[in-house]
Amino acid sequence: MKSTLVSIVGLTLVIGGCTSPPRELSDRHAQAMQDSVATMLSAYRSHYAARAWDSLAGFYLDGPGFRWVEDGVVRYRSLADVRQAWDRLPPAMELETTYHDTEIHPVAPGLATVITGFDTRLTDSAGTGFTFGGAVTMTVSHRVDGWRILGGHTSTERARPSQ
């Protein structure tokens, strides 16, 4: 009986040791994730301004669950859809985006959400163009080769009707 009890306790300890408890993020790990995602956003903005579509595509996780929503409508269901939108931008137009009030929230190791305001200016060779802005939310996942966008939402600012 005693050897059976010892065996059960031993087996329980072995099995328990094989399962890992949920990992909490230390403050240091969370800060490192925030810094890393902020660096990714800066690189994304630079590649967008340079119209480096191949490099920019590397920031997206291209898989069956990818969705990008704009103003309440699913616009893109794949990286190919996103690339088609980039290809429709007038070739001579300069693109400049700035982010503001950016919040990066680590959710778990290798997973974060981003909430940021943005302003984008599109300018043609004559210096005319337009600016629009709004907010972006996205979920990003860290992979072996860096952070990847799993999906997100862009909404543009609009005047609200008076009540």
Side-chain angles (χ1 to χ4, degrees), residues 44 60 66 68 76-88:
Y44 182 97
Y60 291 84
F66 176 82
W68 193 270
Y76 311 108
R77 295 179 179 275
S78 68
L79 178 57
D81 292 346
V82 174
R83 289 188 72 117
Q84 286 175 0
W86 294 335
D87 290 339
R88 287 192 299 268

Side-chain angles (χ1 to χ4, degrees), residues 17-153:
C18 292
T19 61
S20 57
R23 291 177 50 195
E24 297 290 324
L25 289 172
S26 67
D27 290 343
R28 197 168 101 190
H29 188 173
Q31 184 62 55
M33 286 177 62
Q34 289 170 325
D35 293 345
S36 183
V37 172
T39 298
M40 183 271 296
L41 288 173
S42 179
Y44 182 97
R45 189 179 59 78
S46 295
H47 289 293
Y48 184 74
R51 302 169 82 80
W53 304 145
D54 289 337
S55 297
L56 200 59
F59 288 94
Y60 291 84
L61 187 65
D62 191 18
F66 176 82
R67 298 292 181 271
W68 193 270
V69 177
E70 289 181 351
D71 294 324
V73 177
V74 176
R75 294 282 182 212
Y76 311 108
R77 295 179 179 275
S78 68
L79 178 57
D81 292 346
V82 174
R83 289 188 72 117
Q84 286 175 0
W86 294 335
D87 290 339
R88 287 192 299 268
L89 290 168
M93 198 153 265
E94 289 185 33
L95 312 167
E96 180 184 356
T97 296
T98 57
Y99 299 123
H100 54 86
D101 304 320
T102 302
E103 299 176 25
I104 299 166
H105 299 281
V107 176
L111 187 67
T113 60
V114 177
I115 303 165
T116 187
F118 74 94
D119 292 298
T120 297
R121 177 148 179 81
L122 288 83
T123 311
D124 63 18
S125 57
T128 58
F130 64 96
T131 301
F132 66 97
V136 173
T137 61
M138 67 179 89
T139 303
V140 295
S141 174
H142 193 268
R143 305 301 166 128
V144 174
D145 51 350
W147 289 99
R148 299 295 172 260
I149 300 167
L150 301 177
H153 180 264

Side-chain angles (χ1 to χ4, degrees), residues 9-21:
V9 170
L11 183 59
T12 301
L13 290 173
V14 168
I15 292 171
C18 292
T19 61
S20 57

